[in-house]
Amino acid sequence: MEPAESSSSLTAPHILLAATRPWRPSRPASEERKGRERREKMGGKKELNVDFGGITADNVEQLRKVNTACFPVSYNDAFYKEVVNRKDEGLCKFAYWNGFVIGAVCARVEPHPDSPGRSRLYIMTLGVLAAYRDRGVGRKLIRSVLEHFESHRDEAGHQLETVDEIALHVQTSNEDAMRFYEEGFGFVRGPMVENYYRRIDPPHCYVLSKKLR
């Protein structure tokens, strides 16, 4: 999460009625085991099947609502204009469940600070509304960004052609977020950056990163 400088209430959660599930062939034991381990990490909660959708000028206020509900900082209008102007659904997108926005991820391509001529993916925000956390939504959002990278990494002239890693800043007290990235995706915790945030305590953060090539 990068530093930042209200909004109306969010749509309340509602009930999804159960439906008869079609028969499916049994999965291999290894997949069943992985599924059990994933459910245990989520406290026994069932994963949600979500759809993704782009962030546009027509729906960007939904992003503001998600961010307001999820983060201890406020993002100014310039942030939302930047997201809309990028017009890159592969890096900035909503997660929808049953037609409702329940989370969002916003990433960008920026120059790599340590490798002239190369780039990195930077995760600006990843937020999931509290009622839908521990249901695999954040993991699916990050995975979708990584899959977008894999689909275009070697495409000549594409902005991802020069990307070597993905990174973000995480507040030093946010152990849950660090565990999410480190254990779930293999990010590595780097140096602490002091006084990165201006209006929250503690103001320090760690740089988390993952090599993509």
Side-chain angles (χ1 to χ4, degrees):
M1 182 180 71
E2 64 179 356
E5 285 299 23
S6 278
S7 65
S8 59
S9 61
L10 292 159
T11 303
H14 57 286
I15 298 174
L16 177 63
L17 297 178
T20 302
R21 298 178 62 185
W23 177 85
R24 294 177 182 174
S26 60
R27 297 185 298 173
S30 60
E31 291 188 16
E32 291 288 353
R33 184 175 62 256
K34 290 179 181 178
R36 287 196 302 271
E37 292 173 350
R38 191 159 53 239
R39 287 192 294 272
E40 288 173 1
K41 288 183 178 180
M42 295 188 299
K45 296 179 181 179
K46 185 178 179 181
E47 280 195 17
L48 293 179
N49 292 321
V50 297
D51 299 312
F52 301 124
I55 300 172
T56 69
D58 294 329
N59 62 21
V60 70
E61 285 305 309
Q62 289 291 321
L63 176 63
R64 192 189 298 270
K65 293 176 182 179
V66 169
N67 288 351
T68 299
C70 293
F71 305 128
V73 295
S74 297
Y75 290 86
N76 58 29
D77 291 341
F79 170 84
Y80 297 100
K81 289 179 181 178
E82 176 188 355
V83 171
V84 170
N85 290 338
R86 287 183 179 280
K87 299 179 181 179
D88 192 339
E89 187 173 332
L91 299 181
C92 298
K93 66 189 75 177
F94 288 120
Y96 289 90
W97 179 74
N98 208 27
F100 289 82
V101 171
I102 63 172
V105 64
C106 294
R108 68 184 179 216
V109 176
E110 63 181 24
H112 196 295
D114 301 318
S115 301
R118 305 300 295 177
S119 306
R120 72 177 182 182
L121 275 175
Y122 181 77
I123 301 172
M124 297 184 287
T125 59
L126 170 67
V128 177
L129 298 181
Y132 304 95
R133 291 173 191 164
D134 300 321
R135 306 291 295 274
V137 179
R139 181 169 51 82
K140 290 179 178 180
L141 282 165
I142 294 298
R143 182 186 295 165
S144 73
V145 170
L146 293 173
E147 289 175 349
H148 177 68
F149 166 78
E150 290 296 332
S151 297
H152 300 283
R153 56 178 292 168
D154 298 319
E155 186 176 323
H158 198 280
Q159 64 172 343
L160 297 176
E161 184 185 15
T162 61
V163 168
D164 292 326
E165 73 172 15
I166 184 169
L168 73 156
H169 292 85
V170 177
Q171 190 179 14
T172 53
S173 60
N174 196 342
E175 290 292 338
D176 287 342
M178 286 184 275
R179 185 163 50 250
F180 170 82
Y181 287 104
E182 292 171 345
E183 296 182 4
F185 295 96
F187 279 64
V188 176
R189 191 180 310 190
M192 185 179 74
V193 181
E194 295 186 357
N195 299 314
Y196 183 72
Y197 301 109
R198 289 183 292 177
R199 296 183 176 89
I200 58 177
D201 185 56
H204 317 308
C205 72
Y206 289 110
V207 177
L208 271 60
S209 64
K210 173 184 175 68
K211 296 294 183 184
L212 297 177
R213 297 182 192 270

